[in-house]
Amino acid sequence: MRIAMVGSGYVGLVSGTCFADFGHSVVCVDHDPAKIAALDAGRIPIFEPGLEALVAENVRQGRLTFTTGMRAAVAQADAVFIAVGTPSRRGDGFADLSYVYAAAREIAAALSGYTVVVTKSTVPVGTGDEVERVIREAAPDAEFAVVSNPEFLREGAAISDFKRPDRIVIGADDPRAAQVMSEIYRPLYLNQAPILVTGRRTAELTKYAANAFLATKITFINEIADLCEQVGANVQEVARGIGLDNRIGSKFLHAGPGYGGSCFPKDTLALVKTAQDAGTPVRLVETVVAVNDSRKRAMARKVIAACGGAVRGRTIAVLGLTFKPNTDDMRDAPSLSIIAGLQDAGARVRAYDPEGMDQARPLLPDIAYAADPYDCAEGADALVLVTEWDAFRALDFERLRASMAAPVVVDLRNVYRAEDVTRRGFRYTSIGRPAATGL
């Protein structure tokens, strides 16, 4: 199949590369000449494990190319995927669909023969209808169908998720379009990946509902963690106890500083706005959004409390800036709110992240950046673990104890056993666990 991928950001680049690896002919389109030049030169604009090698191999095989020329790419394609950004709109939090509609208008001007136009971007219910209207208005005689095919990729594991998905959701009201999509995903039949064909609006809502449910699980266990701290229970044991129930499951029950990233914050907010506009408010999701926002700031207060109630003039070392490990994504990362809270309280902040510091510098220009975890901790009055990178899972606490100004560790990801840290002379604070015990 011949595929044009409009948008060469995270979703577009990963999806296009994986489709090429299946054997399809893929052209990734982007208006940014610098991005296309970098991709042509083998420089990947995002950090995703395994992606650079996969891009290079498929470029070498001639199955994957990059261009700024929309018209030629669309004209020869059997399917055109729209994979542009849908950030939260300023003012009301609704998804900004201007990039989607601009792409639809450009696609309309280049269509040649029957083409399936696929919305890969995360979009509110009814967006496919509007994309179809925009294309039909611009190209009344064009032969095309609009399909929704939401992505369910986890940053840091996107290639595996694409090639071994839990499910593939195809929202198609045209049987011919559904057949084209089935052919595109045919290589996954060997993996017995379930393909769910639904109406277009159902597929659009499925993406939002999935992310909102996962965000709810995270927020639920975070609130249980707060309760555990007050009553002397252990949130990790509680999570294991409820997660062994197959109706609940163990995933997304890890207490921490709140969710962030490119999906959950904007998608939960967009679902809230969509439901309000439809006259059926989703009160549970509204609460999830509010609780998660306040939790990030509360983590700064937790650090301050661990330092005796004041951090003015003190140096706080922060390990981990990205919203999760194995990505360089800083969007809505908990570290942003935590650091802001610490700075507001008068602290000096020094930070280290294995991959995220280049992305962090424009967002956090007034903190110091370290060369490694130990450089970060040198002379610090507290060490705060914010993102659970593998590089932080076996720190040398004897070395840290010798170099820090005060022996304080705040573990916001419950990476360590409390007794292992305290016996090395540290005051240790974690999430939802009694102070002197841990797993």
Side-chain angles (χ1 to χ4, degrees), residues 208-279:
Y208 278 107
N211 278 355
F213 189 83
L214 295 175
T216 300
K217 288 187 73 173
I218 293 170
T219 305
F220 172 81
I221 202 63
N222 283 341
E223 292 212 303
I224 293 297
D226 291 344
L227 177 59
C228 285
E229 291 180 13
Q230 295 303 313
V231 302
N234 187 317
V235 71
Q236 288 181 308
E237 293 176 351
V238 171
R240 185 174 294 117
I242 64 175
L244 289 170
D245 186 329
N246 290 330
R247 297 168 300 175
I248 297 174
S250 61
K251 300 295 180 65
F252 289 83
L253 289 178
H254 301 289
Y259 62 76
S262 62
C263 294
F264 287 2
K266 75 177 182 66
D267 291 353
T268 49
L269 193 55
L271 180 60
V272 165
K273 299 301 180 182
T274 298
Q276 289 173 347
D277 289 350

Side-chain angles (χ1 to χ4, degrees), residues 96-375:
D96 182 352
L97 300 174
S98 58
Y99 302 109
V100 173
Y101 297 145
R105 284 188 286 272
E106 286 194 70
I107 290 167
L111 289 174
S112 176
Y114 181 77
T115 308
V116 178
V117 179
V118 187
T119 306
K120 196 70 173 169
S121 304
T122 300
V123 296
V125 176
T127 302
D129 299 350
E130 184 65 12
V131 168
E132 183 174 348
R133 187 197 66 77
V134 167
I135 296 175
R136 183 66 65 201
E137 188 177 82
D141 299 325
E143 281 190 280
F144 72 97
V146 175
V147 168
S148 173
N149 176 217
E151 54 86 15
F152 299 99
L153 306 178
R154 296 169 299 161
E155 292 190 40
I159 293 171
S160 174
D161 285 349
F162 197 98
K163 292 189 171 186
R164 288 173 287 279
D166 296 322
R167 75 291 201 197
I168 300 159
V169 177
I170 297 171
D173 299 324
D174 179 345
R176 186 178 176 187
Q179 182 59 41
V180 170
M181 294 299 293
S182 294
E183 182 62 23
I184 288 173
Y185 281 106
R186 183 178 55 79
L188 291 179
Y189 287 170
L190 292 176
N191 296 341
Q192 297 182 323
I195 295 180
L196 176 64
V197 179
T198 71
R200 193 163 60 202
R201 286 184 167 229
T202 298
E204 291 169 340
L205 184 55
T206 297
K207 166 67 174 183
Y208 278 107
N211 278 355
F213 189 83
L214 295 175
T216 300
K217 288 187 73 173
I218 293 170
T219 305
F220 172 81
I221 202 63
N222 283 341
E223 292 212 303
I224 293 297
D226 291 344
L227 177 59
C228 285
E229 291 180 13
Q230 295 303 313
V231 302
N234 187 317
V235 71
Q236 288 181 308
E237 293 176 351
V238 171
R240 185 174 294 117
I242 64 175
L244 289 170
D245 186 329
N246 290 330
R247 297 168 300 175
I248 297 174
S250 61
K251 300 295 180 65
F252 289 83
L253 289 178
H254 301 289
Y259 62 76
S262 62
C263 294
F264 287 2
K266 75 177 182 66
D267 291 353
T268 49
L269 193 55
L271 180 60
V272 165
K273 299 301 180 182
T274 298
Q276 289 173 347
D277 289 350
T280 56
V282 283
R283 300 298 189 200
L284 182 61
V285 182
E286 290 176 8
T287 301
V288 165
V289 172
V291 169
N292 188 68
D293 286 345
S294 64
R295 181 169 189 80
K296 296 177 185 178
R297 191 78 174 190
M299 293 298 101
R301 295 194 296 272
K302 192 177 188 73
V303 174
I304 294 168
C307 294
V311 293
R312 184 165 300 280
R314 297 185 183 181
T315 298
I316 307 298
V318 173
L319 294 185
L321 294 169
T322 55
F323 85 96
K324 64 180 287 188
N326 296 321
T327 181
D328 61 353
D329 198 337
M330 286 294 300
R331 285 174 285 186
D332 282 295
S335 63
L336 298 173
S337 296
I338 294 169
I339 289 172
L342 293 172
Q343 289 178 319
D344 288 347
R348 297 185 296 266
V349 177
R350 187 187 305 132
Y352 171 73
D353 188 281
E355 292 292 341
M357 291 195 291
D358 286 344
Q359 298 295 328
R361 281 188 173 92
L363 304 173
L364 298 166
D366 51 353
I367 69 172
Y369 291 90
D372 58 50
Y374 302 100
D375 179 42

